[in-house]
Amino acid sequence: MASPSSSAADPAQHKYLQCLTNHSSTPISQAIYFPTDPLYTSTLESNIRNLVYASDSTPRPLFIVAATHVSHIQSTILCCKAHGLQLRIRSGGHDFDGLSYVSPSPFVLLDLFNLRSVTIDVESETAWVNSGATLGELYHEIAGNSKILGFPGGVCPTVGVGGFLSGGGYGNLMRKHGLSVDNVVDAIIVDSDGRVLDREAMGEDLFWAINGGGGASFGVIVSWKIRLVPVPETVTVFRVERTLEQGASDVVHKWQLIADKLHEDLFIRVVLIPVPITSGDEEKFTIKAKFNALFLGKTERLMGLMDHEFPELGLSPADCLEMSWIESVLFWSNYPPETSTEVLRDRHPKPEKFVKKKSDYVQEPISKEGLEAMWDKMIQLRKPILTFNPYGGRMGQISEKDTPFPHRAGNLYKIQYSIGWKEPGVEAEEKYLGDIRRMYSYMTPFVSKNPRRAYMNYRDLDIGTVKRGSKNSYAEGKVYGDKYFDGNFERLVKVKTAVDPNYFFWNEQSVPVLPGKVEL
């Protein structure tokens, strides 16, 4: 941990340390890391999930507060305000464009990884979970207390709960139980004045806003009370692959027509990957379509549904594996069979790489000719991977106004564009960013329009940013705000203006305040 002596090595550090100490009701010096501290770099880099933001040129925080108590959060907010510093808030570090731990202005990193407790109440089928916990830690605790309860969270266990929930996180239970935020019943937030508020104290408008509107725009969310959902003791999973030579075009086209209409117990994701094939001495490329599924039931019932609704996939009982819900979490995370669930508590199981993500929503099926042209573009670029996530079921029954997340009825599926690389340097970065942007541009005719919708948790600065202190922050914010929140953007702006009129909680894609209301 940080040491008070190293933390106060110069007058500026001493000034910040004194302020933090004065405003904290519990000892805080051991939670502070200045650049002179030997643990500063390892603490900063421990939750950087995208190597694009780990270079020597990436701006670094003036200091890090690895909070262990809510009073540390309060004092950090108050001292950042007092000294005119930006605040960045990190729970798991999966913000794809680095906004949770990078800023162009002098900033402080408030890291929540120490605040990771999970308390399960099986009788009431609820849980309190701190924002610094990972989804894997949450799932592990749920499964340790019940075999018939789960939570509709994401399929990546290392994602932090705080960012996941506040951005409207989804997973493979969404067609049955909706989004994660459709199952949040309370929360604890520290606002821009350092007040600690629960749902009753914050009011329904602010509670609504943090459930999908991006918590970092409104305060620091310390913990969440979530509703657990029933899961059967036995679920079924499968992973089936088809290449173009094996008829993938027909199968993907049929998937588009039925994926949102299948029984809500069945979630089938499609991952589309350009892969090399050898033809004589020449290396060519094709598209491999991976159909990954979770079914809330046994193989026999699944086969009846698939034979009736989706025979084109050619699923057989031999493709199916029956297991518990918690074992399906491991399957979806690509762990080998018989892996212990203890791996879900590992916050850093895999090496990181350079990545870029983008998103789209599809509201009309893409024709078979359109899909084939899309394959040609993917083969030309070779690197971008597209993932189709089906909607329908419970997602079509919840009003788009119930939470800030608006992408409900009328959406067939969401597209995630993903590109990853290992080569460092500006040249490689520009090449791969160019590739994914070209793929995204190519898809324009096939996706939602006016606005072209996007998913906030697939953070994408390409679709718009707001400048700090800009007199046009509302207009700038509306560009990306309409894409992320559609008709809910205006309500978010009103909430932001009411609870943070001085625009303290700012980042390049935060919810702006109403024109003329900000006092910098």
Side-chain angles (χ1 to χ4, degrees), residues 2-21 29 32-38 40 61-64 79 83 85:
S3 65
S5 58
S6 65
S7 295
D10 64 39
Q13 293 181 6
H14 178 78
K15 175 180 64 175
Y16 298 140
L17 178 60
Q18 193 65 48
C19 182
L20 291 163
T21 302
S29 63
I32 304 168
Y33 299 88
F34 287 99
T36 50
D37 192 290
Y40 171 89
L62 295 175
F63 57 90
I64 302 166
C79 290
H83 293 286
L85 302 176

Side-chain angles (χ1 to χ4, degrees), residues 94 120 249 254 314 346 348 374 479 497:
H94 281 79
I120 309 294
S249 293
K254 178 60 181 289
D346 186 352
H348 308 283
M374 191 176 83
V479 174
T497 306

Side-chain angles (χ1 to χ4, degrees), residues 91-159:
S91 55
H94 281 79
D95 187 307
F96 289 132
D97 275 354
L99 298 193
S100 65
Y101 52 88
V102 178
S103 174
S105 304
F107 73 104
V108 173
L109 173 59
L110 177 60
D111 210 326
L112 303 179
F113 67 90
N114 285 320
L115 296 171
R116 58 212 280 184
S117 70
V118 180
T119 304
I120 309 294
D121 186 336
V122 174
E123 185 175 351
S124 66
E125 298 184 351
T126 60
W128 274 102
V129 54
N130 281 353
S131 285
T134 63
L135 293 177
E137 290 170 332
L138 171 61
Y139 299 155
H140 183 273
E141 289 301 309
I142 294 172
N145 283 270
S146 173
K147 294 181 179 180
I148 55 172
L149 291 175
F151 185 69
V155 301
C156 177
T158 59
V159 169

Side-chain angles (χ1 to χ4, degrees), residues 285-353:
F285 274 72
T286 187
I287 298 296
K288 178 169 67 177
K290 293 171 59 176
F291 296 83
N292 301 334
L294 172 67
F295 178 66
L296 300 175
K298 296 187 177 182
T299 301
E300 183 178 1
R301 185 163 73 95
L302 170 61
M303 288 304 304
L305 288 172
M306 292 295 291
D307 288 345
H308 184 260
E309 301 287 348
F310 197 14
E312 291 82 359
L313 185 59
L315 186 72
S316 73
D319 298 316
C320 302
L321 297 171
E322 292 185 346
M323 58 186 61
S324 66
W325 169 73
I326 195 65
E327 289 170 334
S328 78
V329 171
L330 297 175
F331 175 88
W332 271 75
S333 298
N334 297 313
Y335 285 107
E338 311 303 326
T339 299
S340 168
T341 57
E342 288 299 309
V343 75
L344 295 174
R345 302 172 71 181
D346 186 352
R347 297 172 74 95
H348 308 283
K350 300 175 183 177
E352 307 299 343
K353 58 185 178 181

Side-chain angles (χ1 to χ4, degrees), residues 109-412:
L109 173 59
L110 177 60
D111 210 326
L112 303 179
F113 67 90
N114 285 320
L115 296 171
R116 58 212 280 184
S117 70
V118 180
T119 304
I120 309 294
D121 186 336
V122 174
E123 185 175 351
S124 66
E125 298 184 351
T126 60
W128 274 102
V129 54
N130 281 353
S131 285
T134 63
L135 293 177
E137 290 170 332
L138 171 61
Y139 299 155
H140 183 273
E141 289 301 309
I142 294 172
N145 283 270
S146 173
K147 294 181 179 180
I148 55 172
L149 291 175
F151 185 69
V155 301
C156 177
T158 59
V159 169
V161 166
F164 177 79
L165 288 177
S166 65
Y170 77 99
N172 55 20
L173 292 176
M174 62 185 278
R175 302 190 67 252
K176 179 71 172 182
H177 297 292
L179 301 175
S180 57
V181 291
D182 298 325
N183 297 277
V184 173
V185 295
D186 203 347
I188 303 294
I189 189 173
V190 183
D191 71 4
S192 61
D193 293 322
R195 297 179 300 171
V196 181
L197 309 170
D198 63 4
R199 179 175 183 172
E200 182 178 4
M202 76 176 81
E204 287 303 301
D205 282 340
L206 180 53
F207 182 73
W208 173 85
I210 63 175
N211 279 284
S217 284
F218 302 96
V220 179
I221 305 166
V222 183
S223 58
W224 309 75
K225 186 179 183 181
I226 57 175
R227 180 189 307 112
L228 305 180
V229 301
V231 293
E233 288 196 35
T234 302
V235 303
T236 304
V237 297
F238 66 77
R239 185 179 292 122
V240 173
E241 300 179 355
R242 297 285 185 268
T243 63
L244 298 184
E245 293 73 20
Q246 296 169 324
S249 293
D250 289 331
V251 183
V252 173
H253 186 258
K254 178 60 181 289
W255 176 91
Q256 288 188 110
L257 303 179
I258 54 92
D260 68 311
K261 302 174 184 66
L262 292 170
H263 193 284
E264 62 184 12
D265 286 346
L266 180 56
F267 180 96
I268 306 177
R269 163 185 281 184
V270 184
V271 183
L272 302 163
I273 310 170
V275 295
I277 53 175
T278 301
S279 178
D281 295 331
E282 183 181 1
E283 184 181 65
K284 297 183 178 180
F285 274 72
T286 187
I287 298 296
K288 178 169 67 177
K290 293 171 59 176
F291 296 83
N292 301 334
L294 172 67
F295 178 66
L296 300 175
K298 296 187 177 182
T299 301
E300 183 178 1
R301 185 163 73 95
L302 170 61
M303 288 304 304
L305 288 172
M306 292 295 291
D307 288 345
H308 184 260
E309 301 287 348
F310 197 14
E312 291 82 359
L313 185 59
L315 186 72
S316 73
D319 298 316
C320 302
L321 297 171
E322 292 185 346
M323 58 186 61
S324 66
W325 169 73
I326 195 65
E327 289 170 334
S328 78
V329 171
L330 297 175
F331 175 88
W332 271 75
S333 298
N334 297 313
Y335 285 107
E338 311 303 326
T339 299
S340 168
T341 57
E342 288 299 309
V343 75
L344 295 174
R345 302 172 71 181
D346 186 352
R347 297 172 74 95
H348 308 283
K350 300 175 183 177
E352 307 299 343
K353 58 185 178 181
F354 301 88
V355 296
K356 175 64 181 176
K357 310 273 186 175
K358 299 177 78 67
S359 61
D360 260 322
Y361 285 85
V362 175
Q363 298 175 333
E364 297 290 339
I366 302 173
S367 68
K368 186 177 177 185
E369 292 75 19
L371 288 175
E372 290 171 344
M374 191 176 83
W375 308 150
D376 290 342
K377 189 65 176 179
M378 293 179 69
I379 289 171
Q380 175 193 338
L381 296 172
R382 296 195 176 184
K383 197 74 173 174
I385 295 172
L386 273 61
T387 301
F388 294 176
N389 292 287
Y391 273 52
R394 181 69 178 137
M395 288 297 291
Q397 300 164 5
I398 300 172
S399 168
E400 64 182 25
K401 301 295 185 183
D402 280 4
T403 70
F405 181 98
H407 316 295
R408 305 285 187 168
N411 292 288
L412 301 180

